[in-house]
Every structure is written in structure tokens, then in C-alpha cells.
């Protein structure tokens, strides 16, 4: 038995799994850290008392301190989400549990699940490198290379990359830190500001989508050029909820690269830039994948 927590910006999944099969799942709305983490921790403790689990995986929105030698390991770093800066994610969720655990970003977890069981495991040659980008309340990206999520001084903060803007696009962006970084341009709140209406009311044929696709294509190009990832998966509510968007991104990407990367062409781009094979289960299974790594 394994346990996992996928901590997202709008909701939290607390789950139990046998191997990779999820057998119990509880959904909690994301509120303040004390209330949210307290409710998740209570669920974990109740389950642990029923049947101790062998390991716990925590996949959380970031930014997080992931250096295990740091005094604030597992703590939320300065974040645009009100009240969450400084929240002790790992400490709150592991208190009272006697089992190994792993904590990482939600996107690194999703990338690990896709590498192990999803898009990265498909085809004759499994991917040795894979990037998972989520576009929803925010924009985040995780990168797995040879089966290990990428860490360094921190973890990838793809959502705050600055991209070349489409000609004539004057939208100022909504990121409180950087204005028109990619999160400030294409996240859910950014789209609501850009189009002047809630996201669920924006028509698929609204003219502003061309600029959105251009921004995302610039992001994907940056990822491919800097990491040489074999695949870039675009998930999240916007990535998976707007089927017309990915083909637009692919077309824009081919124009941006202009043939420079020989492995990206009209024949390969559909395999390289796609939605997650695990769909909306990539996130929860990411927590399971982290638990398996902790157990190993």
C-alpha cells in the first residue's frame, strides 16, 4: 500500500494505491495552508491507522525547497498564491507517519508518471527525456531525464520564462512578479484578463487564440532548444480542455524553429508535442510514482 498527495492550486487529491492502481481518493478544496494541509494530514493518519502504507509521495505546486540538506526542505518558497509562502508542506503531511517519503513539484511528479507509464513508455523506443507542462491556474513545467526528475539549485520554473511576443500583441500580462512571463500570458487568470471574460466563456474561434498559441510555441521552442527533451506534453485544464490549441501550437512551433532542430518536422511534431497519455490522471499518478521512488 502506498499513499500520495497531489496538492494543486484549486484542489488537493489524497489517495491510496496498490502499486500504480489507485484504490481510494479524497478531494479537498485548496484553501489556506493550515486548513488544507490539516485536512489532508488527517486523512493520511486515518488511513495509516487502518493499514500502514509503505511510502508517501507528495506532489505539490511550487516553488518548493527540494534540497534535502536545507533547513527549510519541503517548504513553500515565495509564491503568488496568497498565504502559502513559507508553508511547511512536507512537515505537515508527514507528521506522525513512520514511512519513507518523497516530495517534489506536481509537474515533476506528472512528468515522472508519464515517463514511467504514459507517453514516455509508448513506441518502440521509450523516451530518455520528457517535459511535462501544465497550463491552468498557473503554468508549470517538470523535466525527467533518464528516469529522474531534474533538480539543481531549485527545480525548473518554466512558467516564468520570458518569451518573444507575437507582433502587435500588447497584452501586458498578469504575473505579479514579471508581468508578461509565460504564466502571465497564458494561464487561466491571464486568459480571463486577455479576453475580458471568464475562461469557460471564451469561444474556440476567438481571434486572441492565435497570440496564445504563439506564446506557447515560443515556450516549447525554448524547452526543446535548452533541454533537447524528446517530448513536450501539454496538460492542465487549458492544455487538455482546448483541443484546438495544440495543433495551433505545433504549426507555430515549426515556424519558430524554421527547420533548425532536425528532429522536429511535420512528420514528428505530433509525437513530440502532445497532450499527456495519462490524461488527468498524470497528476495523481505522479504522487504514486514519487512514493515508489521513496520506497526504492
Amino acid at each position: 500500500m502506498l499513499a500520495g498527495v497531489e496538492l494543486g492550486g484549486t484542489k488537493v487529491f489524497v489517495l491510496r494505491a496498490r502499486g500504480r492502481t489507485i484504490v481510494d481518493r479524497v478531494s479537498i478544496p485548496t484553501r489556506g495552508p493550515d486548513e488544507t494541509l490539516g485536512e489532508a494530514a488527517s486523512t493520511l493518519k486515518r488511513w495509516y491507522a487502518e493499514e500502514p502504507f509503505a511510502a508517501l509521495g507528495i506532489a505539490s505546486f511550487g516553488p518548493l525547497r527540494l534540497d534535502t540538506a536545507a533547513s527549510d526542505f519541503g517548504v513553500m518558497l515565495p509564491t503568488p498564491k496568497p498565504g502559502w509562502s513559507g508553508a511547511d508542506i512536507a512537515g505537515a503531511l508527514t507528521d506522525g507517519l513512520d514511512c519513507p517519503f518523497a516530495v517534489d513539484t506536481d509537474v515533476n511528479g506528472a512528468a515522472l508518471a508519464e515517463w514511467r507509464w504514459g507517453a514516455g513508455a509508448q513506441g518502440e523506443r521509450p523516451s530518455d527525456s520528457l517535459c511535462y507542462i501544465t497550463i491552468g491556474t498557473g503554468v508549470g513545467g517538470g523535466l525527467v531525464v533518464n528516469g529522474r526528475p531534474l533538480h539543481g539549485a531549485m527545480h525548473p520554473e518554466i512558467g516564468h520564462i520570458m518569451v518573444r511576443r507575437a507582433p502587435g500583441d500588447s497584452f501586458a500580462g498578469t504575473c505579479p512578479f514579471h508581468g508578461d512571463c509565460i504564466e502571465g500570458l497564458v494561464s487561466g487568470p491571464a486568459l480571463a484578463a486577455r479576453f475580458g471574460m471568464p475562461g469557460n466563456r471564451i469561444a474556440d474561434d476567438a481571434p486572441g487564440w492565435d497570440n496564445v498559441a504563439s506564446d506557447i510555441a515560443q515556450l516549447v521552442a525554448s524547452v526543446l532548444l535548452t533541454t533537447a527533451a524528446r517530448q513536450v506534453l501539454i496538460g492542465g485544464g487549458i492544455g487538455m480542455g482546448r483541443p484546438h490549441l495544440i495543433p495551433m501550437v505545433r504549426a507555430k512551433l515549426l515556424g519558430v524553429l524554421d527547420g533548425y532542430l532536425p528532429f522536429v518536422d511535420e512528420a514528428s511534431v505530433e509525437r513530440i508535442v502532445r497532450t499527456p497519455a495519462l490524461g488527468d490522471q498524470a497528476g495523481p499518478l505522479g504522487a504514486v510514482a514519487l512514493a515508489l521512488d521513496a520506497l526504492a
Side-chain angles (χ1 to χ4, degrees):
M1 182 70 79
L2 303 169
V5 178
E6 183 199 8
L7 178 58
T10 57
K11 61 178 176 289
V12 180
F13 287 121
V14 187
L15 53 94
R16 285 194 288 189
R18 294 196 184 277
R20 61 165 289 190
T21 302
I22 296 173
V23 295
D24 285 301
R25 185 186 326 222
V26 173
S27 179
I28 300 169
T30 304
R31 295 151 291 179
D34 292 342
E35 190 175 6
T36 304
L37 296 173
E39 187 172 347
S42 294
T43 301
L44 290 172
K45 289 176 181 176
R46 175 168 54 83
W47 283 348
Y48 192 81
E50 294 172 3
E51 180 180 353
F53 29 83
L56 170 66
I58 302 168
S60 172
F61 70 89
L64 296 171
R65 180 74 72 201
L66 297 180
D67 180 358
T68 56
S71 60
D72 58 349
F73 167 65
V75 170
M76 187 73 68
L77 298 172
T79 174
K81 191 162 184 63
W84 280 83
S85 296
D88 186 359
I89 307 298
L93 294 175
T94 60
D95 182 46
L97 303 178
D98 184 19
C99 66
F101 73 94
V103 58
D104 212 320
T105 62
D106 50 356
V107 281
N108 262 349
L112 185 61
E114 283 286 340
W115 176 84
R116 184 171 285 163
W117 302 309
Q122 296 176 348
E124 296 180 1
R125 181 182 181 184
S127 291
D128 55 9
S129 54
L130 179 150
C131 180
Y132 180 98
I133 296 173
T134 182
I135 305 177
T137 306
V139 176
L143 185 66
V144 168
V145 180
N146 295 325
R148 296 183 64 85
L150 180 66
H151 296 159
M154 276 181 48
H155 48 77
E157 276 292 327
I158 288 171
H160 295 275
I161 286 176
M162 313 296 285
V163 298
R164 178 181 290 179
R165 304 292 299 278
D169 182 11
S170 60
F171 177 57
T174 61
C175 175
F177 289 90
H178 312 116
D180 64 346
C181 63
I182 190 67
E183 181 170 289
L185 293 174
V186 304
S187 65
L191 295 183
R194 183 192 284 266
F195 288 90
M197 64 184 73
N200 59 4
R201 291 175 49 196
I202 304 171
D204 285 351
D205 59 356
W209 285 113
D210 192 68
N211 287 338
V212 173
S214 177
D215 292 337
I216 298 172
Q218 290 282 345
L219 172 63
V220 173
S222 295
V223 170
L224 293 174
L225 288 163
T226 56
T227 71
R230 293 190 186 276
Q231 290 179 294
V232 178
L233 311 180
I234 302 178
I238 295 165
M240 291 187 291
R242 295 286 181 168
H244 74 291
L245 188 57
I246 303 302
M248 294 175 66
V249 170
R250 292 180 183 133
K252 295 281 188 184
L253 175 66
L254 292 173
V256 169
L257 294 176
D258 198 22
Y260 183 75
L261 295 179
F263 64 93
V264 185
D265 56 26
E266 290 187 1
S268 66
V269 71
E270 288 191 16
R271 175 181 54 80
I272 294 172
V273 182
R274 54 168 292 181
T275 53
L278 298 175
D280 60 5
Q281 296 305 295
L285 285 172
V288 176
L290 291 171
L292 284 170
D293 278 6
L295 187 60

